[in-house]
Amino acid sequence: MIAEADDRPAGMTLNSFTSVSLDPLFVLVSLGHGSRTLAATARSGRFTVSVLHRGQPQVALDFAERGAPFPEAHVSRRYHGNLAVTGAAAILACRVVQTTTAGDHDLVLGEVDEIEHGGGDPVSYTHLPPP
């Protein structure tokens, strides 16, 4: 997932996101308090979910490394200026419609404005190298 505010991108690897509604098309992500991604999402009111392709396990690991610099090499600008992972199997560009606090996370409900589906199998935990 990627968000950008004040020309500063932030992103993270989500272990899941949830389809909430088909009409309108809503998805839900859970972001930890204090995360750069939550801060960027809150400021911009937008986020992009990139469903990584099976051949992109290193991208998942690069976005998962806490405190690491933003992995710009994996990203391109698209969807009315939104950032997304290059070569992803699918991309959902979303507008934040509601944020709810749930313990130490915020649940962010986004309305999907645009979808791109390039095809192929998504990456899963079974595609990641062992620790």
Side-chain angles (χ1 to χ4, degrees), residues 4 48 76-84:
E4 182 181 35
T48 304
S76 61
R77 194 166 296 280
R78 50 203 322 142
Y79 290 131
H80 302 101
N82 294 321
L83 296 174

Side-chain angles (χ1 to χ4, degrees), residues 4-8 10 35-46:
E4 182 181 35
D6 308 322
D7 294 324
R8 296 178 71 197
S35 73
R36 294 179 293 199
T37 307
L38 176 59
T41 301
R43 283 196 313 274
S44 68
R46 300 202 53 79

